[in-house]
Amino acid sequence: MKKNVMLSICALTMVLYFYAGSSVVYGQEPAAGSPKTPAKTATPTKQETQEVVFGTFKNYKHSSGWFSMSAPENWTINETSIEGEYIISIIDPTENGAFVARVWSSQDRMTEDELSSLLKKFLNYNLSDFPNFKLGDSTQKNKRVGIRFTYDSIIDEKSYPMIGDSFIEQKESIVGLSNLMIPKDQYDKKINVINKMMNSININPGNTR
């Protein structure tokens, strides 16, 4: 029986969505008492998850004009803003896959090393309490920094490995941080469409409303 990891995706999306906070993004100490997902332990399982379906890709442009990408037309897109940041979440119909991006303006021009440090800080602060959370090595190309991460989704006291790709880049005064999460058992099968989606991301500093 194929399982739905919706509870973990929703929890992770909520963490990235609400509790990343500009206190982390702007390099300050995280606010005291910010909720984080509690760590759990579970028995490993080899059960498959429901298939994440990537529909036809269509251009999506954020209402701010600062961010655009190709997104599957069958995924649900939501926009919001908190504390001076724009936040975009895009979730597939099964809720087994999710994309979350945060875009903000910064007067500080960061180097690739500084962007890498900020991305690691963001991921560690927000995701380190997920079971078996691990960060891979960072990669840097054309001022875009990427890190792959893994963690476990806990459903009915069983563990389902998940994998995510996270990227950060700065163009002029606009910084964009993007994350895509999917069950690990589907990652290799979906790598081409995952790359298509993540490589389509574009920060548009001169394209404001």
Side-chain angles (χ1 to χ4, degrees), residues 3 41-45 47 153-160:
K3 298 290 287 188
T41 58
T43 304
T45 179
Q47 294 186 51
S153 165
I154 308 301
I155 304 295
D156 298 330
E157 299 184 350
K158 292 185 179 181
S159 177
Y160 296 85

Side-chain angles (χ1 to χ4, degrees), residues 112-123:
E112 290 184 9
D113 287 342
E114 289 171 333
L115 288 170
S116 178
S117 177
L118 180 58
L119 182 58
K120 290 177 181 177
K121 183 176 182 180
F122 173 92
L123 293 171

Side-chain angles (χ1 to χ4, degrees), residues 24-52:
V24 174
V25 166
Y26 297 127
Q28 303 168 10
E29 289 300 316
S34 294
K36 295 181 73 177
T37 303
K40 298 180 181 179
T41 58
T43 304
T45 179
K46 293 184 179 180
Q47 294 186 51
E48 294 182 350
T49 53
Q50 290 186 15
E51 182 180 5
V52 174

